[in-house]
Amino acid sequence: MEQKTDQKPTVLVDGREVTIDGERNLLELCRKANIDIPTFCYHSNLSVYGACRLCLVDVKGRGVVTSCTTIPEAGMEFKTTTGEIREMRKIAVELLLANHDMDCPTCPKSTTCKLQDLARKLGVREVRFRKTNRVEPIDRSSPSIERNPNRCVLCGDCVRMCDEVQSIGAIDFAYRGSECSVVPAFGKDLNTVECVHCGQCVAVCPTGALTPRSEIDAVWADIDNPKKVVVAQVAPAVRVAFGEQFGLAPGAAATGRMVAALRRMGFDQVYDTSFAADLTVIEEGHELLGRMASGEKLPIFTSCCPAWVKFSEQYFPELLPNLSSCKSPQEMFGSLARYILPKQLGVAPEDLVIVSIMPCTAKKFEAKRPEFQHDNIPGVDHVLTTQELITMTDAAGLNFPSLEPESFDMPLGFKTGAGVIFGSSGGVTEAVLRFAAEKVTGKPLTQVEFHEVRGNEGIREATVALGEASVRVAIVHGLANARALAERVRDGHAHYDVVEVMACPGGCVGGAGQPVSNDPGARAQRAKGLYEADRTTDLHKSQDNPMIREMYETWLGEPGGPLAHELLHTHYASRKRITDSDFTVLPSAEKRPVCVSVCVGTNCYLKGSQEILSKVLNHVETNHLHGAVEVKGTFCFENCGQAPNVAVNNQLIESATFEKVMEAVNEASCPAKSPA
Amino acid sequence: MNTAPAAPEAITATAAPSAPAEAGAERTRKFEKCVEVLNRYHRNPAKLIPILQEIQESYRYLPEEVLVFVATSVGLPPARVFGVATFYAHFTLKPKGKYVIRLCDGTACHVRASQPILDALRGRLSLTATEQTTPDMLFTVETVSCLGACGLAPVVVINEDVHGQMTPETAVALVDEICTKEQGA
């Protein structure tokens, strides 16, 4: 008996014995046995869907089943390739191609498209079915993501990613049968719904239906313009993924050759966003220590990730005061560069073009936020993803492996290891701890690596001792994890000093702008690459960065001081999830009715806004005020802390009661009523 | 038979001076009903379909703003609620007429010549396969894929009333009858 329990159960795959080692389904088992089973809709971190019908296997005694939905059982025998299975897979792909927009040469996903890859691998040479679909318009409303429904294969990967990993659900299946499509609510444009631009839908889309919005043409135009001085900043996570397209392993640093490529393309200066990350550490570190001293607005939530910032503005308005007021490194770089470079480089401010290279689609959205425009000039002009930079490298005809490595330009290209690890989940926290530890203890920190904050778990917690004091930190990545943690903080069930949030699994290394990777371990490898880069850098603490010190001495003054505050900090405002969604409960045909808008969003509802709404409606009815009063339900006044909110004409009533509202209504309608 | 649903504001707004007040009261009533339905189901997202069914009963369709309100109330993303509302043929996101004429085009009705009846009804009301509701919001003509009354084929159902063994002439006569009644009202 004992011997038996020690033996692991096995199955027979194509006549070969394979042990079951906790695999959840036959597909995972096949992958372990190095058999490449085709699939569109299977992702190990998403729920099993079974929609694409490609991962078929023939189980003895059961017939042909989808391997992703079949749980391994001891003694099971199955075949992964038979004439019948090959034919079925081929027909499935052929049917998908029949309704597919076959503009492959001009599709950004060409060569990395799974549909293309499978059609080739399965030997599909013709499509025998008649095209029946209609041409749907392309949604280019979002600054981050382009949605081309004509390339969608309805695998649902994006839908499950947005719902399960990011807990947003901005897109979903709608309609039915041949009409079925993946759309934002009511078929609206992506930019008008609750999408936070993280682009994880793009990262899992097997075809070119969801792709990053390209800004390549605009960047070339500025490079080609002799009047413009074009400077680049490169985010930390880019350097450990850029080389993947050119045959390097994920995580292998391609920094030097990437800088060389940028110069050869025509960028006048190449700087490092890690420098701005060092600056962020100093500013955010001061902010943290200040808040810990006063005990106010704790925990401090990081604000480097623009998808998280928009997420919290939509779902956690009550936590906005806790968000670090620091701009993200991208925007800190933008502000600082606009401030010092015109003088340093001798260029007219209007001729300075700042281009970011980011692993991220949400950074494109961030660069367009009105908070980061000053006198109609944005902090950053264009944001390219790692993928776009690769395309530009190819377009410029550069032979990447043969490039001689070069170094970043000074001073905005000099960084410490702390600024480099920003690209990995846990990196921001570790960098801030390296600063805070020295500041608190007043002694030099010798052991700079905080292994307790590293790792892959979606939610990590640690208490880090800084001399006498201790800091309670939490690190989350993936917005569903962030939502769970933020709810606990909001409801008083969890207490921390620092919470680091990254929207993408793994942090920025797993951003949607990174090269499409079929290697599930790529994110971990890239993170490893960043920590290696930190180890091989001479300086590991942002406060040791001589260029940062010089920056404060020459330009910025004190950390957190007036100029630092003006240039490097920002503010947030709660925002509606869906724009243009006011709900006219009681319309009025009159020219100037008294307009009562009652917020029926979650916060105000919980505080009794619906009762006020009912009472107002009853009052209008019993007093025959129809026409004189217009009543609307609205979905957020961006003032959730003072819920319930009601507006009468343009006057906002905080912590409203029915009596307060009627007082305002009577006041507003007095002049109109007096003749009667 | 239950009373006909109240006319939408598009008609009443120009009908009589007191009409806006009535339309306003009507909207208040519908909104209160909407809240009542949500509360009765404890804002449970698992009860989305019955919630939408009841709300559609009072509005006669599912207005976008109401769907957003329902989504917010039950804690689901609006895209999910939209997906459910567009999946089931029973739900409609477009306002329907006061009289919804459903013509059966199931197998039995089809072979007993339902198509000429459809052509006649659409011809009488100037409707098409895509334009299913008259501009005055009085009639909607749609087909269904079996009403389970094959013995009476071809069948027309107007709101809740079943009319069997129809011909193009008798179907149009039913429409004329309603028109006369409405004009007299």
Side-chain angles (χ1 to χ4, degrees):
Chain A
M1 276 301 279
E2 268 180 22
Q3 243 187 344
K4 252 196 165 172
T5 47
D6 280 351
Q7 256 175 3
K8 284 197 172 150
T10 60
V11 295
L12 222 48
V13 185
D14 296 330
R16 289 187 305 152
E17 204 167 66
V18 179
T19 45
I20 306 175
D21 231 347
E23 284 82 9
R24 294 172 298 175
N25 49 56
L26 297 186
L27 183 59
E28 285 186 1
L29 207 67
C30 291
R31 285 191 175 164
K32 189 178 73 175
N34 288 320
I35 298 165
D36 189 13
I37 301 258
T39 171
F40 278 128
C41 69
Y42 184 75
H43 284 273
S44 53
N45 55 348
L46 300 178
S47 63
V48 171
Y49 195 50
C52 74
R53 318 311 288 175
L54 287 173
C55 67
L56 303 171
V57 293
D58 193 346
V59 180
K60 195 174 178 185
R62 287 200 208 176
V64 175
V65 296
T66 46
S67 61
C68 68
T69 58
T70 309
I71 298 163
E73 286 167 25
M76 210 178 227
E77 287 180 38
F78 64 92
K79 288 181 177 160
T80 62
T81 175
T82 66
E84 188 190 14
I85 288 175
R86 282 192 300 272
E87 194 55 28
M88 286 167 88
R89 287 177 182 160
K90 231 169 129 170
I91 288 176
V93 170
E94 212 178 316
L95 283 165
L96 289 174
L97 287 173
N99 268 355
H100 191 73
D101 191 359
M102 302 259 238
D103 58 351
C104 299
T106 54
C107 173
K109 220 41 190 296
S110 189
T111 74
T112 51
C113 170
K114 265 200 199 170
L115 183 60
Q116 200 181 46
D117 187 46
L118 285 180
R120 184 181 55 77
K121 279 185 178 162
L122 297 174
V124 179
R125 289 287 167 268
E126 61 167 342
V127 177
R128 294 163 293 172
F129 307 107
R130 189 165 45 92
K131 209 178 180 72
T132 55
N133 66 334
R134 58 205 177 280
V135 178
E136 297 281 346
I138 298 168
D139 179 1
R140 293 196 175 97
S141 64
S142 164
S144 317
I145 296 163
E146 183 166 313
R147 201 174 61 83
N148 184 340
N150 305 305
R151 295 180 186 144
C152 178
V153 293
L154 301 177
C155 65
D157 292 353
C158 54
V159 172
R160 282 172 294 137
M161 177 53 91
C162 193
D163 179 41
E164 295 171 10
V165 176
Q166 303 297 53
S167 77
I168 296 169
I171 43 174
D172 210 329
F173 285 103
Y175 309 103
R176 186 175 190 161
S178 62
E179 306 278 304
C180 186
S181 61
V182 172
V183 288
F186 310 104
K188 284 177 189 290
D189 287 341
L190 200 53
N191 209 27
T192 60
V193 297
E194 65 268 55
C195 168
V196 300
H197 307 274
C198 72
Q200 285 302 306
C201 54
V202 173
V204 290
C205 180
T207 70
L210 291 161
T211 49
R213 270 296 292 281
S214 171
E215 291 177 55
I216 292 176
D217 292 344
V219 173
W220 280 130
D222 279 333
I223 288 177
D224 293 341
N225 185 339
K227 267 183 70 187
K228 303 280 184 188
V229 171
V230 184
V231 305
Q233 58 160 321
V234 190
V238 175
R239 66 206 64 186
V240 286
F242 182 74
E244 286 170 31
Q245 205 72 12
F246 304 101
L248 296 185
T255 322
R257 280 178 283 179
M258 181 185 68
V259 174
L262 282 159
R263 289 222 179 85
R264 293 274 289 271
M265 276 175 222
F267 285 91
D268 296 293
Q269 301 284 320
V270 183
Y271 297 124
D272 197 342
T273 310
S274 296
F275 167 86
D278 276 337
L279 196 58
T280 308
V281 170
I282 306 293
E283 288 295 323
E284 199 163 322
H286 276 101
E287 201 181 7
L288 166 69
L289 295 177
R291 288 192 195 183
M292 282 179 74
S294 67
E296 280 170 7
K297 295 191 279 186
L298 288 174
I300 186 170
F301 281 86
T302 59
S303 60
C304 305
C305 171
W308 154 245
V309 168
K310 184 166 187 251
F311 184 85
S312 50
E313 286 178 322
Q314 287 172 180
Y315 300 105
F316 294 97
E318 54 281 84
L319 290 179
L320 291 180
N322 291 56
L323 251 68
S324 163
S325 68
C326 291
K327 288 181 183 176
S328 70
Q330 161 172 277
E331 291 300 329
M332 276 203 186
F333 181 96
S335 303
L336 191 64
R338 290 252 181 261
Y339 189 66
I340 67 166
L341 287 184
K343 277 175 222 157
Q344 286 213 332
L345 302 177
V347 52
E350 62 272 21
D351 289 333
L352 179 67
V353 177
I354 299 173
V355 179
S356 301
I357 325 288
M358 294 283 145
C360 178
T361 49
K363 288 285 171 191
K364 289 173 181 279
F365 159 76
E366 183 184 70
K368 296 207 160 43
R369 283 184 69 123
E371 292 88 342
F372 302 131
Q373 324 289 316
H374 293 286
D375 306 326
N376 284 327
I377 299 174
V380 172
D381 293 287
H382 311 295
V383 181
L384 297 170
T385 59
T386 314
Q387 286 181 30
E388 288 167 81
L389 186 66
I390 289 165
T391 306
M392 288 177 72
T393 308
D394 284 336
L398 298 172
N399 182 355
F400 181 76
S402 71
L403 290 171
E404 286 291 326
E406 294 177 15
S407 58
F408 286 106
D409 287 297
M410 292 297 123
L412 305 182
F414 192 89
K415 74 281 182 180
T416 70
V420 175
I421 58 174
F422 255 61
S424 171
S425 166
V428 178
T429 306
E430 184 166 343
V432 171
L433 286 175
R434 290 178 189 180
F435 168 79
E438 279 196 357
K439 198 84 183 165
V440 169
T441 60
K443 290 182 210 145
L445 181 72
T446 45
Q447 175 48 37
V448 294
E449 296 194 358
F450 290 83
H451 286 276
E452 55 270 51
V453 301
R454 299 185 184 181
N456 279 322
E457 297 77 29
I459 301 182
R460 309 196 288 281
E461 292 169 313
T463 304
V464 181
L466 303 179
E468 304 279 291
S470 64
V471 183
R472 296 160 299 175
V473 301
I475 294 140
V476 287
H477 52 121
L479 289 170
N481 293 328
R483 186 191 288 275
L485 187 110
E487 279 173 356
R488 279 168 52 211
V489 169
R490 182 193 61 196
D491 300 340
H493 299 316
H495 302 279
Y496 307 104
D497 300 306
V498 184
V499 179
E500 176 196 306
V501 186
M502 296 291 160
C504 295
C508 307
V509 287
Q514 298 281 58
V516 179
S517 177
N518 294 320
D519 175 3
R523 289 172 173 180
Q525 289 300 315
R526 292 171 190 161
K528 205 168 153 237
L530 288 180
Y531 287 115
E532 267 169 28
D534 169 38
R535 230 166 287 140
T536 52
T537 308
D538 295 333
L539 301 172
H540 307 285
K541 293 170 273 185
S542 304
Q543 63 272 29
D544 292 348
N545 187 334
M547 299 295 173
I548 293 281
R549 273 195 228 138
E550 193 195 303
M551 212 50 66
Y552 278 109
E553 280 161 19
T554 318
W555 303 93
L556 292 168
E558 287 290 300
L563 185 59
H565 215 86
E566 189 193 323
L567 287 179
L568 310 178
H569 290 254
T570 181
H571 58 275
Y572 314 98
S574 60
R575 60 167 81 218
K576 294 183 184 189
R577 281 166 242 179
I578 292 195
T579 52
D580 69 287
S581 61
D582 274 359
F583 177 1
T584 308
V585 184
L586 193 59
S588 166
E590 281 192 16
K591 267 187 191 155
R592 280 193 298 167
V594 177
C595 181
V596 181
S597 302
V598 181
C599 179
V600 288
T602 317
N603 275 290
C604 290
Y605 167 72
L606 290 172
K607 299 247 172 87
S609 69
Q610 215 146 63
E611 205 187 322
I612 298 176
L613 183 55
S614 289
K615 281 186 177 171
V616 171
L617 290 172
N618 274 329
H619 180 86
V620 169
E621 200 166 321
T622 46
N623 295 292
H624 305 288
L625 294 170
H626 297 287
V629 177
E630 181 173 72
V631 184
K632 280 183 176 176
T634 183
F635 290 97
C636 207
F637 282 117
E638 310 188 350
N639 190 33
C640 305
Q642 310 298 322
N645 291 292
V646 177
V648 175
N649 288 343
N650 289 327
Q651 182 201 345
L652 184 69
I653 304 169
E654 296 176 341
S655 313
T657 60
F658 171 68
E659 288 72 27
K660 276 197 204 175
V661 173
M662 285 326 295
E663 201 178 303
V665 169
N666 289 336
E667 241 171 64
S669 57
C670 249
K673 272 174 94 181
S674 51
Chain B
M1 224 200 91
N2 48 3
T3 51
E9 49 182 319
I11 301 172
T12 51
T14 50
S18 65
E22 274 166 30
E26 184 58 31
R27 285 185 75 117
T28 306
R29 193 187 61 73
K30 283 177 186 169
F31 179 74
E32 304 246 282
K33 167 93 200 264
C34 184
V35 173
E36 186 270 316
V37 170
L38 284 164
N39 288 341
R40 184 148 39 80
Y41 288 102
H42 306 291
R43 303 185 172 236
N44 180 357
K47 299 290 182 192
L48 179 62
I49 290 174
I51 290 171
L52 292 182
Q53 279 177 312
E54 289 201 31
I55 289 174
Q56 178 162 298
E57 243 167 62
S58 61
Y59 282 89
R60 287 200 278 141
Y61 75 111
L62 295 170
E64 181 180 315
E65 52 195 26
V66 172
L67 287 179
V68 176
F69 178 67
V70 170
T72 313
S73 303
V74 299
L76 285 173
R80 173 63 49 87
V81 175
F82 177 69
V84 170
T86 54
F87 183 83
Y88 294 100
H90 173 75
F91 293 127
T92 173
L93 276 75
K94 279 188 194 154
K96 287 195 183 178
K98 183 176 175 184
Y99 298 91
V100 178
I101 304 175
R102 292 193 173 89
L103 171 73
C104 183
D105 198 26
T107 313
C109 290
H110 189 80
V111 298
R112 297 293 295 265
S114 58
Q115 190 61 43
I117 303 175
L118 180 64
D119 294 340
L121 285 172
R122 283 184 180 159
R124 167 68 180 80
L125 296 166
S126 309
L127 295 174
T128 64
T130 47
E131 282 293 319
Q132 298 193 326
T133 301
T134 54
D136 62 1
M137 298 305 291
L138 210 49
F139 292 101
T140 295
V141 176
E142 54 189 34
T143 58
V144 286
S145 301
C146 191
L147 289 160
C150 308
L152 299 174
V155 178
V156 166
V157 175
I158 302 179
N159 290 346
E160 303 284 312
D161 297 335
V162 181
H163 304 271
Q165 296 176 326
M166 286 279 108
T167 64
E169 292 74 27
T170 52
V172 168
L174 286 173
V175 172
D176 290 337
E177 200 182 303
I178 293 170
C179 286
T180 316
K181 195 179 97 188
E182 282 294 319
Q183 270 159 18

